[in-house]
Amino acid sequence: MSEQLPDVQATRPDVTVGLSQVGVTDVEKLVKVARPDKRPIVLMAEFEVFVDLPSWRKGADMSRNMEVIDETLEAATREEVYRVEDVCGDAAERLIEKHEYTSEVTVSMEAELVQREQTPASDKETQSTVDITASATATDEGTREMIGVDVTGMTVCPCSQGMSETRARDKLEELDVDADAVEEFLEDVPQPGHSQRGHAKITIESTGAPEVDLRDLIEVAKESMSGRIYNMAKRPDEDHMTYESHADAKFVEDCVRAMAEGVVEEFPDLADDAVVSMRQSNDESIHQHNAHAERHVEMGQLRSEVQN
């Protein structure tokens, strides 16, 4: 019989400092998201798995740990799920049971969701992509899960649009156009403003799985900006997108507030202690800097602010 190799990871480290997270990243697994009366959506998801490490232990049994993690993720992703965050929650709960020396396990995943949609004017079928994130943290006290989306759209600056409107009004008055006709024209034809590509991100975290449908969360994020963008667009679609976005000009701050309003309206069953994070970043077109705004708040507080 060969001599058993020493378990170096279980020995005491030279510096007895505990570590918040030890684990693995870039673990790829297929996740199947079930849909009623439709084929499941298959995602190529990238996972990160971490455990905390006490000060008295040198290492986390990385090779043996990876075997456990792989087995756990395989079990968690084998069946179809309705909520991607439940995959992380299932894996985190399985792992905390298998690690006698850890008090907290965090499992997170990222994936790109491809959706089919119709262009707004020409009604052509095209595809769009959405970045989705999910995570779960399991402790002896329970499990908290998070679901999030990151979508791209377009925003138009109300300030520059206001300056263009003033210029147009002055010129129309100079041409002796009737005052009522001027106002009607400016009401029906939004004036130019500098536009930018916007990135809206919303995450919701709660004890257990958030009462949130992923598709509804995507819609809230897309609707928060001045306009939607499409992977393919004919000329009528381009005209539609330009008009609609200029008819709903928004500052970066307005986008976050629109997300807040959308979350409150769309998810009335979310617990008051659910944590909502909303972030908007705009790639500025006439500046070298970008614009950014965000808010992190519990759902109960958000409801009270929106409904006042």
Side-chain angles (χ1 to χ4, degrees):
M1 181 183 296
S2 61
E3 183 180 349
Q4 186 174 0
L5 296 174
D7 188 358
V8 178
Q9 288 92 341
T11 62
R12 186 179 181 85
D14 295 334
V15 180
T16 53
V17 172
L19 302 178
S20 301
Q21 290 187 328
V22 177
V24 295
T25 63
D26 303 326
V27 181
E28 293 185 340
K29 295 290 180 183
L30 289 177
V31 175
K32 292 178 286 186
V33 182
R35 297 183 294 173
D37 304 322
K38 292 183 179 181
R39 290 185 299 175
I41 299 170
V42 180
L43 304 174
M44 174 54 76
E46 192 172 276
F47 287 87
E48 294 183 342
V49 182
F50 300 111
V51 302
D52 64 340
L53 192 68
S55 60
W56 51 263
R57 188 177 178 91
K58 187 176 185 65
D61 295 320
M62 196 62 71
S63 59
R64 191 165 33 185
N65 199 33
M66 186 58 220
E67 182 179 2
V68 172
I69 289 170
D70 193 69
E71 290 174 355
T72 302
L73 288 179
E74 280 295 323
T77 59
R78 187 171 293 122
E79 303 298 329
E80 295 178 10
V81 296
Y82 282 95
R83 300 179 187 272
V84 291
E85 62 270 30
D86 284 344
V87 175
C88 298
D90 185 20
E93 290 169 359
R94 289 170 185 257
L95 285 168
I96 202 167
E97 292 178 0
K98 293 177 181 290
H99 289 75
E100 70 281 359
Y101 56 80
T102 191
S103 61
E104 182 175 292
V105 175
T106 300
V107 178
S108 60
M109 62 154 279
E110 295 182 353
E112 190 176 71
L113 174 65
V114 179
Q115 294 181 302
R116 294 190 181 277
E117 59 186 2
Q118 304 299 122
T119 55
S122 63
D123 199 33
K124 301 290 185 182
E125 186 176 88
T126 184
Q127 295 183 0
S128 65
T129 57
V130 176
D131 292 328
I132 62 174
T133 59
S135 69
T137 299
T139 66
D140 292 337
E141 298 177 354
T143 303
R144 289 186 65 83
E145 295 183 7
M146 180 275 287
I147 183 66
V149 299
D150 193 339
V151 308
T152 304
M154 179 166 58
T155 62
V156 174
C157 176
C159 184
S160 66
Q161 186 179 61
M163 291 185 286
S164 295
E165 184 174 304
T166 298
R167 182 189 296 270
R169 179 179 283 104
D170 290 345
K171 184 62 179 178
L172 290 169
E173 291 174 353
E174 181 184 317
L175 295 171
D176 292 328
V177 178
D178 178 74
D180 290 339
V182 170
E183 296 307 318
E184 182 179 351
F185 173 79
L186 293 175
E187 180 69 25
D188 292 344
V189 183
Q191 295 304 293
H194 76 83
S195 61
Q196 47 269 318
R197 182 170 293 184
H199 308 276
K201 183 172 184 178
I202 309 174
T203 65
I204 299 177
E205 180 186 344
S206 68
T207 300
E211 294 295 325
V212 169
D213 186 290
L214 180 63
R215 291 163 295 184
D216 293 337
L217 193 60
I218 292 170
E219 284 300 303
V220 170
K222 286 186 174 182
E223 283 295 311
S224 69
M225 291 175 277
S226 296
R228 300 187 180 211
I229 60 176
Y230 295 83
N231 206 26
M232 188 274 290
K234 305 291 285 182
R235 290 181 65 188
D237 302 310
E238 293 178 359
D239 177 63
H240 175 94
M241 288 187 283
T242 302
Y243 180 88
E244 291 297 324
S245 60
H246 280 76
D248 191 19
K250 289 178 179 176
F251 290 121
V252 66
E253 299 92 338
D254 295 325
C255 296
V256 174
R257 294 186 177 109
M259 289 183 224
E261 187 175 40
V263 167
V264 169
E265 291 178 355
E266 193 65 44
F267 308 117
D269 297 328
L270 270 176
D272 283 347
D273 63 352
V275 178
V276 183
S277 295
M278 301 159 288
R279 186 181 74 189
Q280 178 74 25
S281 296
N282 291 342
D283 301 333
E284 290 286 352
S285 58
I286 64 170
H287 305 294
Q288 290 188 332
H289 60 263
N290 294 327
H292 182 90
E294 59 183 79
R295 178 71 190 279
H296 310 279
V297 62
E298 288 191 345
M299 189 64 184
Q301 175 66 27
L302 189 63
R303 283 195 185 99
S304 68
E305 293 181 20
V306 169
Q307 294 170 356
N308 279 343

